[in-house]
Amino acid sequence: MPLITPVILCGGSGTRLWPLSRKSYPKQFVPLIDDETLFQASAKRLSGSRGDLQFGAPTILTGSDFRFIVTEQLQEIGIDPGAILIEPEGRNTAPAILAAALYLLDRDPDAIMLVAPSDHVVPDVDAFHAAIEKGLAAVENGKLVTFGIKPTHAETAYGYLELASQPDASGAAVDLKQFVEKPDASHAADMLAAGTFLWNAGIFLFKARDIIAAFAQYAPSLSAPVTNAVETAQADLGFLRLAPAPWSQAEDISIDYAVMEKADNLAVVPFDGGWSDLGGWDAVWRETGPDENGVVTSGEATAIECENSLIRSDSAHLELVGIGLKNIMAIAMNDAVLVADMSRAQDVKKAVAALKTKGASQATHFPKDHRPWGWFESLVVGGRFQVKRIHVHPGAALSLQSHFHRSEHWIVVEGTARVTVDDEVRLVTENQSVYIPLGAVHRMENPGKVPMVLIEVQTGSYVGEDDIIRYEDVYARGQGAKG
């Protein structure tokens, strides 16, 4: 079998899974079903030798804010990426896939790409690999292959693929007749009964040269800016930053609209081994496995005489109790709680829009702010002060920095910190503290082999994250809140 390069897309925001999924930390990086994140599960599913399949190191496309999250989560599961391409801004799936194809073709004229989102659940991995094997035969004949999911119910949240003929028992690829937009309930029921319609999973398999040729034929306006963005990309530590100027000229468009709905060489591999894009809390409820009363509890949650409900606390310090609930989803975090009828799962994005309108930070910002050195969370914020808990990984270091508007007090509560304040460097251990005056050049490091945790109290006229000047940084970040 030829080598397959997984191309994993992980730049989405997943607003329908608010409050757990937010723009600053979307659902693919969150443990939704078990201890692994969806991104980690996707990478593991497409790694190493799997039967007759051989996967190469994955190529990842993501945004700048997530680049260190990607590397950290891959490191946790023992996977080294082949390349991490940084998109200067989100331009949808078509430019991202074309950029990956150009990058891979330059390294292998026969490169085969398996493009997959990073936020899907595929319980039967062996069945999925068998479907990939069936798709390879079509790829060798120059086909652009997509994977269609056998519907289990009349779903209105997915687009559909209409097959040119009934799939046979072998599961071989079938020619595609047409794409169908998300239907209403009546149309979805008719398609389910027809047996020639599959859910559009947004997973693709093709040779890099074939998809590049398809872009040249069906979406030629994308070719020049994306090619320029790849050819003038800049290496940054272990990342490859696509050039911002040409990238901004690429149309914001999906691969379906740009190429797939126009191409005449498409084939579909039917897949019925279980699949979900976890597009709402109702999907999380189904995939997690309700008990005999149809109830799913997660975290510090308790259900009393409830039916067909999801009760989930994602805060170790917040007990969520449901009594007599029916068809309810209740999800609690430190800073936000969602309570809704299960039938309104697709309307959660309306809550995000409403919160944005009122200027609530919970609409987009996750309680924990993840950085390459670890993470922090705000415990209390006032008019002229803020209290944070800061977690620094072993061997990690924050940038050498200063602030215009605030001073800081640090109290180490776990581990040992190496602290720099202007010309002084010293070790600060548990129950010791240090004061950082306004304007002082400072840094904290964790020289130990266990995590270091400290409480930071900021005081001053402004305590925003963008009040920072970086002088040195081992992660090569620039200025600004995240650099």
Side-chain angles (χ1 to χ4, degrees), residues 192-461:
L192 178 66
T196 54
F197 292 85
L198 305 175
W199 291 336
N200 182 4
I203 303 172
F204 306 99
L205 182 69
F206 34 63
K207 290 187 176 181
R209 62 170 178 259
D210 291 337
I211 192 64
I212 292 170
F215 271 103
Q217 181 175 355
Y218 301 111
S221 63
L222 284 174
S223 295
V226 175
T227 299
N228 194 1
V230 173
E231 290 180 346
T232 58
Q234 297 292 317
D236 178 2
L237 295 179
F239 312 105
L240 186 68
R241 289 184 177 273
L242 301 174
W247 187 259
S248 68
Q249 302 303 311
E251 183 181 359
D252 185 333
I253 188 171
S254 73
I255 186 72
D256 286 353
Y257 286 133
V259 173
M260 297 300 175
E261 294 187 1
K262 305 170 185 175
D264 60 3
N265 61 332
L266 264 65
V268 183
V269 175
F271 179 67
D272 61 358
W275 168 89
S276 175
D277 72 343
L278 292 184
W281 285 113
D282 53 342
V284 174
W285 170 77
R286 282 193 300 269
E287 292 298 322
T288 307
D291 65 15
E292 65 275 9
N293 296 314
V295 174
V296 170
T297 59
S298 178
E300 306 304 317
T302 302
I304 301 173
E305 299 174 5
C306 296
E307 299 176 16
N308 301 324
S309 294
L310 171 64
I311 306 172
R312 177 178 179 131
S313 172
D314 282 277
S315 170
H317 309 292
L318 195 154
E319 292 284 347
L320 179 62
V321 180
I323 302 176
L325 302 180
K326 294 184 179 180
N327 303 315
I328 292 295
M329 49 189 191
I331 296 90
M333 298 191 69
N334 286 344
D335 63 339
V337 177
L338 170 70
V339 181
D341 190 275
M342 191 74 78
S343 67
R344 304 295 297 273
Q346 296 302 310
D347 291 332
V348 172
K349 57 188 177 182
K350 295 181 179 179
V352 177
L355 291 174
K356 285 181 179 179
T357 299
K358 67 185 294 187
S361 64
Q362 290 91 332
T364 56
H365 288 84
F366 201 70
K368 285 184 179 179
D369 199 325
H370 292 259
R371 300 297 171 91
W373 44 260
W375 53 264
F376 70 83
E377 61 180 335
S378 295
L379 303 178
V380 181
V381 181
R384 292 180 58 87
F385 74 93
Q386 179 172 204
V387 181
K388 290 180 178 178
R389 175 168 60 175
I390 300 177
H391 176 112
V392 183
H393 297 319
L398 280 69
S399 61
L400 186 67
Q401 58 187 253
S402 66
H403 309 294
F404 282 118
H405 302 289
R406 69 174 186 257
S407 59
E408 298 171 344
H409 291 81
W410 296 345
I411 305 170
V412 176
V413 295
E414 293 181 27
T416 298
R418 180 187 291 123
V419 175
T420 299
V421 182
D422 291 328
D423 295 328
E424 181 186 4
V425 180
R426 64 188 176 101
L427 294 178
V428 182
T429 59
E430 290 183 13
N431 297 320
Q432 294 183 330
S433 63
V434 64
Y435 173 61
I436 313 297
L438 176 69
V441 177
H442 61 280
R443 170 159 46 201
M444 75 172 78
E445 305 169 67
N446 180 359
K449 296 183 178 180
V450 297
M452 184 268 288
V453 180
L454 59 81
I455 301 299
E456 178 182 84
V457 180
Q458 304 175 347
T459 57
S461 59

